[in-house]
Structure formats: structure tokens, C-alpha cells
Amino acid sequence: MKVNVNKDVCIGCGACQQISDDYFVLGDDGYAEVNEKDRGKEVPKEKEDVVIDALESCPVEAIYKEEE
Ligand code: SF4
């Protein structure tokens, strides 16, 4: 599973960062992104649950799964 954030939709609430234990972080622009180390890669198995929690908790559905 790979995930990404649509910054055009994100409102910068920070919920995903808290829920995902910094898998998602707020960038310099104030909007969420995948942290640099994990960006563009498969979500590590041990992070899958919190990443899905964050995806489902985003109030504007800005987080999405990328096509394989
Ligand atoms: S939870 Fe959604 S709206 Fe809030 S910072 Fe994360 S991606 Fe953006």
C-alpha cells in the first residue's frame, strides 16, 4: 500500500500527523505530506494501521491510496 496527500484538498488541521505518529507531517507550506523518509514508498507494515486510521480520520478526505 502506498498513500499520498492531495495538498489542494488538505486544510492543514494536523490530525493525520498526530494519529499516524509522524508518518504524515505538516510541511513548510502548512499542509500535510508523507514524511521524507517514507515518501513514495510502501507503507511499512507496522505503520499500516495508524496510516489507515489517519486516512479515515481526515475531515476532507485529502489522504488517498495510490494505485499499485
Ligand atoms: S487530516 Fe487531512 S486535512 Fe488534516 S492535515 Fe491531515 S491531510 Fe490535511
Side-chain angles (χ1 to χ4, degrees):
M1 176 178 76
K2 286 185 186 176
V3 297
N4 208 340
V5 179
N6 184 344
K7 284 186 179 250
D8 292 337
V9 176
C10 173
I11 56 172
C13 73
C16 58
Q17 181 171 8
Q18 285 190 326
I19 292 168
S20 71
D21 192 23
D22 289 341
Y23 181 84
F24 298 105
V25 294
L26 294 184
D28 292 341
D29 58 6
Y31 299 114
E33 59 199 26
V34 176
N35 78 75
E36 202 172 341
K37 181 170 68 74
D38 292 317
R39 199 172 303 156
K41 298 178 186 162
E42 289 284 316
V43 177
K45 283 277 179 248
E46 68 275 13
K47 289 265 182 175
E48 275 187 1
D49 285 350
V50 290
V51 167
I52 289 171
D53 268 359
L55 183 153
E56 291 176 348
S57 300
C58 176
V60 292
E61 299 184 4
I63 303 171
Y64 60 95
K65 290 184 188 177
E66 291 189 326
E67 298 295 327
E68 295 297 323

